[in-house]
Amino acid sequence: MTNSDVPRERPLSPHLQVYSPMLTMMMSIVHRITGSALYFGTFLVVWWLIAAASGPAYFDLVNGFFSSWFGRLILFGYTWAAINHMLGGIKHLFWDTGRGFELETVERNARLTLGGSIVLTILLWVIAYGVK
Amino acid sequence: MSLRTPLSKVRGLGSAKDGTEHWWHQRVTAVANIPLVLIFAFVLINSVGKPHAEVAALLGSPLVVIALLMMIGSITWHMRLGMQVIIEDYISSEGRKIAALMANTFFCAAMAVAGGFAILKLGFAS
Ligand code: HEM
């Protein structure tokens, strides 16, 4: 029988600083970070829509900001976050069916999410610019 | 000595009992977001640098209005559910948690109404 009167040091589970970073855990936290970034990005989206609904004068101001190099950088980051979160989300939906938990698959899908998000974002910009 | 029995003090402090619905709505909106966010991203990139008249005409065309309305509904619901989980994970003090959850709901509702109104206005204007 253990002596319940003596307080014991409870074991603490090792946390982030103990593990060497792995791609799978990076992609896991990136999904949460991109979700949060998109959350606040919705404010920019609504700002832009309100500007378009307000008429030419205000729209030119707002669209002028988004058309500057800094604005385009934000938009590029926003679309990358959206696509990365989308691919990570699809991976989650796949996991929800109970599939894709083998170590090699998990590792491969983490790579696919990262690589795919970069390729798809660039592709989206090329296509959307192309049809202008 | 309290008026309340020990049982009545702990009742209702367990699960909120709607976890399945929360999870399911997160999945349904996730699936809906896939085409809607792609369509919106396309419209957004395509509109950068264009004059107001052109952008308003595109944003006001019926198919775009329908897609954007669905998108604003789906993403604001999805992001409210998602941020709720993040808040519950990181904020342990009950008071601050409830305040943050309320702020989350208010922000998402404001985004849904403001975005929805702007889209409808563009739709009816053109
Ligand atoms: C484009 C398609 C999208 C898909 C397929 C998708 C999918 C998902 C899924 C499956 C989850 C749950 C993850 C989990 O259970 O851990 C999730 C979480 C979340 N999503 Fe999305 N999502 C999409 C778009 C968006 C957008 C546009 C926003 C914001 C405006 C957003 C914000 C969030 C947030 C804040 C979370 C919570 C993150 C967390 O708990 O770590 N998502 N998403």
Side-chain angles (χ1 to χ4, degrees):
Chain A
M1 273 261 260
T2 52
N3 189 348
S4 54
D5 295 337
V6 180
R8 280 190 300 156
E9 284 277 308
R10 306 297 303 169
L12 294 170
S13 64
H15 201 52
L16 283 178
Q17 66 273 21
V18 172
Y19 292 109
S20 66
M22 293 186 293
L23 190 64
T24 45
M25 71 193 234
M26 294 323 277
M27 294 315 288
S28 166
I29 192 59
V30 161
H31 190 253
R32 176 158 279 192
I33 293 169
T34 52
S36 311
L38 292 169
Y39 181 93
F40 295 106
T42 304
F43 185 82
L44 296 180
V45 167
V46 168
W47 182 41
W48 184 72
L49 288 172
I50 297 265
S54 301
Y58 190 54
F59 183 73
D60 285 349
L61 188 83
V62 175
N63 209 36
F65 167 70
F66 282 120
S67 307
S68 68
W69 70 265
F70 184 62
R72 279 173 212 251
L73 194 67
I74 292 180
L75 287 184
F76 191 81
Y78 176 81
T79 47
W80 175 78
I83 286 176
N84 190 284
H85 184 88
M86 180 182 84
L87 294 179
I90 291 171
K91 188 178 64 189
H92 266 282
L93 298 173
F94 188 58
W95 275 336
D96 292 340
T97 68
R99 274 169 280 226
F101 287 104
E102 296 76 23
L103 286 183
E104 316 86 71
T105 320
V106 170
E107 188 65 27
R108 190 202 61 204
N109 285 347
R111 282 172 205 283
L112 271 180
T113 312
L114 185 60
S117 69
I118 297 170
V119 173
L120 273 182
T121 308
I122 294 174
L123 204 67
L124 185 73
W125 278 74
V126 168
I127 295 174
Y129 258 71
V131 297
K132 265 198 188 176
Chain B
M1 189 72 190
S2 165
L3 189 63
R4 298 178 73 196
T5 66
L7 180 61
S8 84
K9 279 187 193 161
V10 297
R11 266 197 180 136
L13 289 181
S15 145
K17 301 203 176 54
D18 57 3
T20 321
E21 196 181 13
H22 183 287
W23 186 88
W24 181 242
H25 282 191
Q26 183 101 58
R27 308 297 134 164
V28 173
T29 52
V31 173
N33 280 350
I34 297 172
L36 298 173
V37 166
L38 283 177
I39 293 172
F40 176 70
F42 188 83
V43 169
L44 185 68
I45 299 170
N46 195 253
S47 302
V48 172
K50 280 191 179 167
H52 178 258
E54 260 180 72
V55 176
L58 175 64
L59 292 181
S61 58
L63 284 181
V64 175
V65 169
I66 293 165
L68 290 193
L69 275 180
M70 290 198 280
M71 179 207 65
I72 213 73
S74 182
I75 68 169
T76 49
W77 188 238
H78 178 87
M79 72 192 217
R80 177 178 171 267
L81 296 171
M83 190 53 77
Q84 182 190 335
V85 175
I86 298 180
I87 291 168
E88 288 165 349
D89 276 357
Y90 299 135
I91 305 186
S92 48
S93 126
E94 195 65 18
R96 283 198 291 136
K97 182 163 71 192
I98 288 175
L101 289 174
M102 258 194 211
N104 179 36
T105 299
F106 293 161
F107 176 73
C108 296
M111 290 305 108
V113 171
F117 171 72
I119 296 163
L120 286 175
K121 185 162 185 264
L122 284 157
F124 289 125
S126 59

